[in-house]
Amino acid sequence: MSVLDGAVVEVAWRTVSMAALATLVMLPPGIGLAWVLARRTFPGRALLETLVSLPLVMPPVATGLLLIWVFGRRSPVGGLLARLGLEVMFTWRAIVIAMAVMGLPLLVRAARAGFEHVDRRYEEIAATLGASPTRVFLTISLPLAKRSVLAGALLGFSRALGEFGATIMVAGALPSTRTIAVAIYSYTETGQEVAAATMVALSASIAFGALFLSNRLAASV
Amino acid sequence: MPVPITLDFVLRQGAFTLTVEERIDAQVVALFGPSGCGKTSVLESIAGLRSPDRGVIRIGSRTLYDGAGGVDVPAHERNLGYVPQDLALFPHMSVRQNMRYGARASRDQEAGGPWEQILSLLELRPLLERGVGDLSGGERQRVAIGRALMASPLLLLLDEPLTALDGGLRARVLPYLERIKHELATPIVYVSHDAAEVAVMADWVVELERGRVVRSGPALGAQTAASLDFRRQTSEDELNDEVEDGRR
């Protein structure tokens, strides 16, 4: 049991820290995309909107395969990163990338609704007071949409915690890259039902906490 | 101090077209007329929140908009103080932070610039630490005006500053506006549909109806109120003639 405990703790820690890192990674592009979709009209907006949401409805393994095409060693991007000593495939970096891509749509949706809720009046008046567009964003739009952005970040984090399909494609089920979702699959496959059940309980409680907090934040907007 | 103001532009919004062709030399210009006549659109065009379809907007020697010359200075570089009818005090900031927002943008710190002068002029010091949700109607009005003045604007744009206030409060806020006029000498474009208010504040009155100027001329103090009421009943042809006269 002690071996199992050690493995459980290690997998749980890896999953939570990778999901947290993935959330940090998705925040800048997520907030940017959310703001652009909420406040700007431009050709190709509908296309961008659809692309961002695609990972929500595509089979996660398909997203995983796309990521292999982008980050695999034989691809230009993956090759370049490898030459810089940044190995992606089957490392923790692959986990973070897969989690971030899968969590991004949820963050963008929630944050976008938050930006749409901000009364444009405040942004316009801030501009007449001499604030540049960047300053308006940082001092008016973002603080007023803060709760929705946080709720979205927690949703993205929750999604990242449970990510399976894309993760197993790019990071495999190695002992060094195993996340909770992947561990549940592996333990079940090899008949380690107690270990699998422990992982299920663990994943349910972490996800419950994150979702509960996210809903509380979203409800008080 | 009177400042030459050129408002010579056309703005289309759906079926509504606003046409203004005015060259005014005054300190306080009142835009007067019934709601929906385009008063607020004039202010927003000056403030840079709406882009006219063509024409020229010039304050003093500064060209803010020139359709033919390809000039359209962005709102944040116009250095005007706009107090909209809904005030738009930032709800996530205290009164002090709201006031500083204008000041910081013009790189004036609390220590220097107009900070002290405006605080005493509008008696804002006791309100500084409050949240904007804890202010009365008259206090909100003063904070919004103070915030706009903090940026040392070339021109103050006031949209119905007294309309939302009841009679008693109106009488309390109006003196503050007169102080701005006399002590700060900031030029003001003032929107109102209240003839009595216009009579107290304005040097020059531009009367709008359905997107067109129907009268423009120097304000004649209290007489203006009566004459405006009278004029509204005269025929439109006559009004147009007067507009021509007013320009000469």
Side-chain angles (χ1 to χ4, degrees):
Chain A
M1 207 53 196
S2 67
V3 175
L4 176 64
D5 284 349
V8 168
V9 171
E10 194 192 319
V11 169
W13 168 244
R14 178 183 303 126
T15 309
V16 173
S17 55
M18 293 294 120
L21 200 56
T23 309
L24 288 180
V25 167
M26 70 177 103
L27 268 173
I31 290 173
L33 284 166
W35 183 84
V36 162
L37 291 174
R39 280 291 189 254
R40 289 276 181 267
T41 45
F42 51 90
R45 183 170 176 272
L47 190 70
L48 181 66
E49 202 175 351
T50 311
L51 268 177
V52 169
S53 293
L54 213 52
L56 270 185
V57 287
M58 246 176 36
V61 282
T63 305
L65 186 55
L66 286 175
L67 289 176
I68 291 177
W69 290 345
V70 175
F71 292 102
R73 284 197 109 177
R74 273 171 295 175
S75 81
V77 177
L80 179 72
L81 288 171
R83 275 198 296 282
L84 295 171
L86 297 170
E87 201 67 56
V88 174
M89 299 306 293
F90 300 102
T91 69
W92 63 271
R93 295 186 187 96
I95 304 178
V96 171
I97 290 170
M99 284 178 163
V101 168
M102 298 302 292
L104 187 74
L106 292 170
L107 165 63
V108 171
R109 283 178 165 245
R112 177 189 173 177
F115 285 125
E116 279 169 354
H117 246 83
V118 173
D119 193 340
R120 265 170 199 263
R121 210 67 196 143
Y122 298 127
E123 296 168 347
E124 289 180 348
I125 296 309
T128 67
L129 290 167
S132 65
T134 312
R135 185 162 174 240
V136 171
F137 174 77
L138 291 176
T139 57
I140 306 289
S141 321
L142 192 56
L144 286 175
K146 181 176 63 185
R147 286 178 161 274
S148 300
V149 172
L150 275 178
L154 278 165
L155 271 181
F157 175 73
S158 313
R159 181 70 188 81
L161 281 178
E163 216 307 301
F164 173 76
T167 310
I168 203 160
M169 290 293 281
V170 294
L174 310 171
S176 61
T177 59
R178 202 177 277 174
T179 60
I180 292 178
V182 174
I184 291 171
Y185 179 75
S186 311
Y187 286 141
T188 308
E189 281 282 274
T190 52
Q192 293 171 267
E193 279 158 22
V194 179
T198 313
M199 288 292 174
V200 169
L202 189 66
S203 119
S205 41
I206 301 173
F208 182 89
L211 271 182
F212 185 79
L213 206 57
S214 171
N215 288 338
R216 286 284 303 270
L217 280 168
S220 55
V221 166
Chain B
M1 207 173 52
V3 62
I5 298 173
T6 305
L7 302 175
D8 182 357
F9 65 91
V10 176
L11 173 76
R12 278 197 197 85
Q13 298 170 276
F16 181 81
T17 304
L18 174 69
T19 312
V20 185
E21 295 168 326
E22 295 297 320
R23 278 172 192 78
I24 305 160
D25 206 350
Q27 194 203 337
V28 180
V29 178
L31 300 174
F32 179 82
S35 57
C37 68
K39 304 185 297 274
T40 299
S41 298
V42 174
L43 283 198
E44 299 203 331
S45 302
I46 302 173
L49 300 180
R50 288 166 196 268
S51 267
D53 294 81
R54 60 172 189 270
V56 175
I57 298 175
R58 195 174 289 135
I59 309 296
S61 58
R62 235 181 129 220
T63 303
L64 300 177
Y65 176 83
D66 181 353
V71 179
D72 190 1
V73 179
H76 69 276
E77 288 170 9
R78 292 200 174 191
N79 194 18
L80 306 174
Y82 177 35
V83 183
Q85 201 176 349
D86 58 11
L87 305 182
L89 295 178
F90 304 135
H92 58 302
M93 296 182 191
S94 68
V95 169
R96 180 189 290 274
Q97 289 168 318
N98 265 279
M99 303 282 294
R100 269 214 317 242
Y101 203 89
R104 203 147 46 111
S106 74
R107 294 195 194 81
D108 285 322
Q109 294 304 317
E110 282 187 23
W115 179 261
E116 292 296 332
Q117 189 187 5
I118 288 161
L119 286 190
S120 21
L121 191 79
L122 296 171
E123 294 172 40
L124 289 168
R125 217 172 307 258
L127 309 178
L128 281 179
E129 305 315 322
R130 292 218 226 147
V132 296
D134 304 330
L135 301 174
S136 70
E139 289 167 343
R140 293 174 67 80
Q141 195 66 254
R142 272 150 57 203
V143 171
I145 295 170
R147 181 179 66 178
L149 285 172
M150 281 301 172
S152 307
L154 294 174
L155 179 72
L156 189 61
L157 305 165
L158 300 176
D159 195 351
E160 305 257 8
L162 303 177
T163 304
L165 308 176
D166 59 38
L169 270 178
R170 221 179 257 219
R172 292 229 297 274
V173 173
L174 193 56
Y176 291 112
L177 297 179
E178 290 182 86
R179 279 197 204 172
I180 292 170
K181 180 180 170 181
H182 296 119
E183 292 179 31
L184 293 184
T186 305
I188 301 173
V189 176
Y190 185 106
V191 158
S192 178
H193 65 252
D194 184 311
E197 230 176 270
V198 168
V200 175
M201 285 294 293
D203 309 321
W204 191 277
V205 181
V206 176
E207 190 178 358
L208 288 156
E209 242 177 69
R210 275 174 266 124
R212 302 199 72 90
V213 176
V214 293
R215 178 188 173 271
S216 176
L220 304 166
Q223 283 178 348
T224 316
S227 75
L228 283 171
D229 278 340
F230 165 73
R231 272 159 222 267
R232 219 179 283 152
Q233 288 156 14
T234 60
S235 76
E236 206 161 314
D237 285 352
E238 250 179 276
L239 286 171
N240 284 337
D241 289 341
E242 283 169 26
V243 172
E244 294 299 322
D245 291 341
R247 262 186 227 125
R248 268 175 221 136

